[in-house]
Amino acid sequence: MKRYPADRIRNVAVAGHGGTGKTSLVEAMLFAAKAVDRHGRVEDGTTTTDFDAEEIRRKITVNAALAPLEWQETKLNLIDTPGYPDFIGEVVGALRAVESVLVAVDATAGVEVQTDKVWSLADRERLSRVVVVSRLDREHAAFPRVVEEVAERFGRRAVPVQWPIGAAGSFNGVIDLVTMTALTPSGAVALDTLPSEVTATARAARDRLVEAVAETDDRLTETFLEEGELAPEALVAGLQSGIQAGTLVPILCVAAPRGIGIPALLDALIRWLPASSRRKAVGVRAKGGEAELAAAADGVLAAQVFKTMADPYVGKLSYFRVFSGTFKSDSQVWNANKGRAERVGQLFWLRGKHQEPASEIGAGDIGAVAKLAETGTGDTLTDKDRAVTLPPIEFPKPAMAMAVEPKSKADEDKLSTALARLMEEDHTLRVQRASEMKQTVISGMGEPHLEIVADRLKRKFGVDVTLSVPRVPYRETVRAHARVQGRYKRQTGGRGQYGDCWIELDPRGRTEGYEFVDKIHGGAIPRNFIPSIEKGITEAMVEGMVAGYPVIDVRVTLVDGSYHEVDSSDMAFKIAGSMAFKKAMQEAKPVLLEPIASVAVQVPDDQMGDIIGDLNSKRARIQGMEPGGDGTSVVRAQVPMAEMLRYASDLRSITGGRGTFEMEFSHYDEVPAHIADRVIAEAKKQKEAVESH
Ligand SMILES: Nc1nc2c(ncn2[C@@H]2O[C@H](COP(=O)(O)OP(=O)(O)OP(=O)(O)O)[C@@H](O)[C@H]2O)c(=O)[nH]1
Ligand SMILES: [Mg+2]
């Protein structure tokens, strides 16, 4: 592939709701631009960008993928992104690499949940946008209705710059509203050969476009009011600067698999969207201060990794965008985040999985490199002596956790390394070893996300696992006072064993923790044995008497005891301490405690009733409600964690994906008796299962 200067490059992420035809659209553009010689289909698993085995099997996009093409002497780096909410992390990474987002909106479904999400992510990165109304050939497709919906949702700045010829089955091409020319797959057609109602609506749409452009600028407004029209050059210039400034969003129309509207779309992207040199990243200098990075090929190197792919065979593949300078193959660069040098081997241009070696990749362009040792997603690669760091990429926090159980010993051995590799490529995945629960817990965006992680473990690393709901970390404590003796005495042949202690056990307040008080005076027990008694007690506390969970928030007071000159030992006193604790606990009204979470759920106002009803069924204590902005409310509640394990899925199904929530551990509270019985029975069953193994 030829090298292009930054002002002849356009970087565009293709994003939107799931199944709006993004991958098909990218494929159609690649094919129209002759970047691929076969028009792949999602149904057949043959598209350029859905090349991964999981994508082929599920017929959805899971990974962001690159798709560069050349059109009108310009390089268009498309990034196909997933629409499914579980993979939003891929969208977040991709948006860092581009200046513009192509938001695909389905012609029958209109604006959907992920359309909103993508829109606000694009706001956050201040990216230019185009809306492409896709799948216009489908039954019930209605361009004017979708245009209304988009304008209602995102403001009047969203205006069509094209108008479809026909709809649904008869959709056959587009009219360019700027030039008023019509294009069909078989070539240009004269406007007056089209049905008069098509040209009439197109003319009305053009008037609306001219008005919208005029409104973006005082001088244009004046001209428009005086002359009732804008000169063609003024219209083009006004449209261009409005789109680049974000005050205008052009709406386009396509039916990708049939190739309708594709060349016109490519023309429009090149014509209206900003060149890559327009995205000026601001880096922080190692020497202090900020640096605005111009996309100059001879400037300081500033390349940011926005995606990492873990491959068990070829190793790690890092996707990067060069914001300034020139990134060279076989060079040494500086990883500013890690503060380490990084050896760089061969650079590539990527198209789907196809790699094309590149000797260097310049400012404004996107590429990939394999086997970086130090570098992860979000890191900046730069020149050591002029080092700059680009802003971090903020990935969303995980919403759902599941336990992974390896199926065999061999799987167990490989699990943690494999998970570490997967975390490198997926910044919305977290792994925790819950050692108390003897479980590895992974958290991510939702159940489908974690299922994909399990699939990847198997396919990429040969690790077979099952997923299950994670165990709840219950605790135990006591509610009453007890005073007991723990006495251990053995006489076996020669030297015996003797340890004897009296302890008092008392409840303490929540979060006050465990306290050991030594009240032995006058040598009832020699001082050197007292640590052994305490050790016996703390070891016994690890598995409480109710259901085997750790004991918290108790005070143990050592009040008395006795010893034997010859037979007493550390071991004997440790056992005596443990015996005493177990006995005391049974007498001191032991209870089960459960973790309670502080939860904040944000949903559209009209769904609040359903959310509160659902939370109440989960034993929640509602604490309050407040407006969340944009027609949403936030409800705050305290809810037992045991009820929240599948909340990501519950919330998604109640709100159709419109709700979000955050949750953190708050405190421990007593489990109501009827639920405690169930937990105890379950613990007993598990203990028996382990013992019979
Ligand atoms: N009739 C019709 N079907 C289309 C069109 N574009 C895509 N499809 C079909 O819609 C389905 C989804 O298309 P994809 O291209 O995978 O959609 P996507 O937006 O990439 O999906 P995700 O990446 O999973 O969000 C596939 O079955 C496509 O063949 C279109 O213009 N017309
Ligand atoms: Mg896709």
Side-chain angles (χ1 to χ4, degrees):
M1 190 172 292
K2 224 166 78 188
R3 261 201 69 178
Y4 286 82
D7 57 0
R8 299 231 55 101
I9 298 175
R10 308 278 186 278
N11 298 303
V12 183
V14 179
H17 196 81
T20 45
K22 300 177 292 296
T23 300
S24 307
L25 183 55
V26 168
E27 186 71 17
M29 287 193 268
L30 287 171
F31 184 69
K34 299 194 169 63
V36 296
D37 46 24
R38 188 177 67 155
H39 191 158
R41 308 274 162 187
V42 173
E43 283 71 23
D44 309 336
T46 52
T47 61
T48 307
T49 51
D50 279 1
F51 60 84
D52 199 77
E54 284 136 16
E55 299 178 314
I56 292 171
R57 188 153 57 86
R58 294 168 203 251
K59 299 189 171 56
I60 60 168
T61 302
V62 172
N63 293 301
L66 298 177
L69 60 84
E70 290 155 292
W71 189 258
Q72 294 180 356
E73 304 295 304
T74 307
K75 182 175 184 187
L76 182 59
N77 282 317
L78 297 169
I79 308 183
D80 183 23
T81 69
Y84 210 84
D86 283 70
F87 314 119
I88 188 87
E90 292 291 300
V91 183
V92 170
L95 293 194
R96 177 51 60 87
V98 298
E99 309 79 52
S100 310
V101 187
L102 184 167
V103 182
V105 176
D106 184 288
T108 53
V111 174
E112 296 171 87
V113 177
Q114 284 304 102
T115 325
D116 279 339
K117 291 255 161 76
V118 164
W119 204 270
S120 47
L121 288 174
D123 280 341
R124 194 173 85 176
E125 295 274 328
R126 299 184 198 199
L127 304 173
S128 296
R129 257 149 275 183
V130 295
V131 169
V132 172
V133 179
S134 60
R135 314 218 290 173
L136 266 166
D137 58 329
R138 290 177 77 220
E139 216 182 317
H140 308 302
F143 186 71
R145 196 189 61 223
V146 177
V147 165
E148 275 314 306
E149 222 180 290
V150 169
E152 223 163 79
R153 188 71 193 86
F154 305 120
R156 292 283 144 190
R157 59 184 175 150
V159 281
V161 296
Q162 295 178 341
W163 202 260
I165 305 170
S170 70
F171 176 52
N172 187 39
V174 299
I175 299 170
D176 181 325
L177 297 181
V178 176
T179 56
M180 287 308 269
T181 51
L183 205 62
T184 67
S186 41
V189 291
L191 271 196
D192 54 15
T193 63
L194 297 173
S196 59
E197 66 272 17
V198 173
T199 42
T201 41
R203 288 216 169 82
R206 182 176 204 276
D207 292 344
R208 191 171 142 193
L209 171 67
V210 173
E211 225 179 290
V213 173
E215 277 169 18
T216 57
D217 180 294
D218 286 348
R219 287 227 321 273
L220 290 178
T221 312
E222 226 168 88
T223 320
F224 178 69
L225 289 177
E226 275 164 23
E227 293 164 28
E229 187 37 288
L230 290 179
E233 312 78 59
L235 179 61
V236 168
L239 196 48
Q240 242 162 7
S241 59
I243 292 165
Q244 303 194 0
T247 49
L248 285 173
V249 176
I251 305 180
L252 303 146
C253 36
V254 296
R258 294 174 54 198
I260 305 174
I262 301 302
L265 170 64
L266 286 166
D267 287 346
L269 295 180
I270 303 290
R271 189 169 186 193
W272 305 125
L273 292 180
S276 70
S277 47
R278 292 290 295 249
R279 180 165 186 167
K280 295 209 170 35
V282 175
V284 176
R285 282 202 188 89
K287 297 187 175 111
E290 290 189 336
E292 195 186 71
L293 299 162
D298 55 359
V300 58
L301 174 65
Q304 187 167 32
V305 173
F306 63 91
K307 176 180 170 62
T308 305
M309 280 263 260
D311 186 297
Y313 306 108
V314 304
K316 198 163 89 173
L317 197 59
S318 306
Y319 293 52
F320 58 83
R321 147 113 191 206
V322 184
F323 285 93
S324 129
T326 301
F327 200 1
K328 296 195 167 81
S329 278
D330 304 313
S331 63
Q332 187 164 53
V333 295
W334 182 251
N335 181 321
N337 302 74
K338 304 283 159 63
R340 283 168 188 261
E342 178 78 86
R343 276 218 50 76
V344 176
Q346 179 67 57
L347 300 183
F348 299 103
W349 279 302
L350 275 182
R351 179 179 297 119
K353 64 180 169 192
H354 176 78
Q355 306 181 340
E356 186 183 318
S359 59
E360 53 182 48
I361 294 183
D365 210 345
I366 292 174
V369 56
K371 295 196 174 81
L372 294 182
E374 308 285 349
T375 304
T377 301
D379 288 356
T380 305
L381 299 172
T382 180
D383 297 329
K384 186 174 180 185
D385 49 352
R386 296 189 288 171
V388 287
T389 313
L390 293 159
I393 306 174
E394 280 168 36
F395 290 94
K397 283 198 226 128
M400 173 140 195
M402 291 193 100
V404 278
E405 314 274 3
K407 284 194 179 150
S408 72
K409 179 76 179 69
D411 294 322
E412 187 176 347
D413 294 344
K414 287 184 286 183
L415 180 63
S416 63
T417 328
L419 281 174
R421 299 287 296 280
L422 287 183
M423 275 207 295
E424 278 191 336
E425 69 174 10
D426 183 349
H427 278 239
T428 56
L429 172 68
R430 306 265 162 85
V431 179
Q432 253 179 314
R433 175 74 202 154
S435 52
E436 167 204 335
M437 297 288 119
K438 301 183 182 62
Q439 281 190 321
T440 298
V441 173
I442 57 175
S443 23
M445 304 312 295
E447 234 166 308
H449 179 204
L450 298 177
E451 277 158 13
I452 293 251
V453 169
D455 286 355
R456 280 185 190 154
L457 282 173
K458 173 118 175 68
R459 196 174 45 79
K460 285 189 167 180
F461 300 97
V463 182
D464 232 337
V465 298
T466 47
L467 293 179
S468 58
V469 174
R471 291 186 199 122
V472 177
Y474 292 102
R475 293 288 182 268
E476 300 180 12
T477 193
V478 297
R479 289 176 55 187
H481 169 85
R483 180 188 165 96
V484 301
Q485 180 182 26
R487 186 158 173 268
Y488 182 64
K489 187 175 177 193
R490 285 284 179 281
Q491 202 65 57
T492 45
R495 189 177 159 218
Q497 290 288 348
Y498 186 87
D500 173 30
C501 63
W502 278 88
I503 63 165
E504 291 181 9
L505 181 62
D506 291 282
R508 300 187 83 200
R510 284 299 75 76
T511 74
E512 283 182 23
Y514 156 72
E515 185 187 24
F516 179 74
V517 182
D518 170 12
K519 283 208 177 147
I520 298 291
H521 304 293
I525 303 171
R527 296 239 65 84
N528 57 315
F529 290 133
I530 289 174
S532 305
I533 296 174
E534 194 189 355
K535 192 148 182 257
I537 291 167
T538 50
E539 280 182 18
M541 285 175 62
V542 171
E543 278 189 29
M545 303 304 291
V546 181
Y549 291 99
V551 179
I552 59 167
D553 298 339
V554 292
R555 179 187 307 114
V556 179
T557 314
L558 179 61
V559 289
D560 203 357
S562 65
Y563 73 105
H564 185 279
E565 281 297 344
V566 180
D567 291 350
S568 280
S569 65
D570 283 334
M571 171 70 100
F573 271 106
K574 197 177 118 183
I575 297 173
S578 157
M579 287 166 66
F581 182 82
K582 287 180 183 164
K583 203 157 124 195
M585 199 173 165
Q586 257 153 352
E587 290 183 14
K589 297 212 169 74
V591 288
L592 196 64
L593 299 174
E594 66 179 338
I596 308 291
S598 292
V599 180
V601 191
Q602 181 167 13
V603 292
D605 292 328
D606 57 346
Q607 291 174 326
M608 204 27 125
D610 296 341
I611 290 302
I612 290 185
D614 176 67
L615 284 174
N616 281 330
S617 77
K618 293 181 156 65
R619 300 192 279 134
R621 272 216 312 268
I622 307 286
Q623 294 183 306
M625 258 195 288
E626 63 207 52
D630 218 7
T632 69
S633 298
V634 177
V635 56
R636 294 185 191 278
Q638 299 224 306
V639 198
M641 260 194 207
E643 305 284 344
M644 293 295 286
L645 298 173
R646 306 194 93 100
Y647 197 61
S649 303
D650 294 350
L651 184 64
R652 198 177 280 179
S653 69
I654 298 171
T655 65
R658 287 178 196 273
T660 55
F661 78 109
E662 282 183 18
M663 165 164 106
E664 61 180 29
F665 170 76
S666 165
H667 63 280
Y668 274 98
D669 211 349
E670 214 174 297
V671 182
H674 64 287
I675 292 170
D677 290 346
R678 226 170 45 217
V679 177
I680 294 164
E682 181 61 29
K684 205 167 144 203
K685 221 169 71 197
Q686 265 192 13
K687 196 162 179 211
E688 284 165 6
V690 170
E691 276 162 5
S692 71
H693 248 73

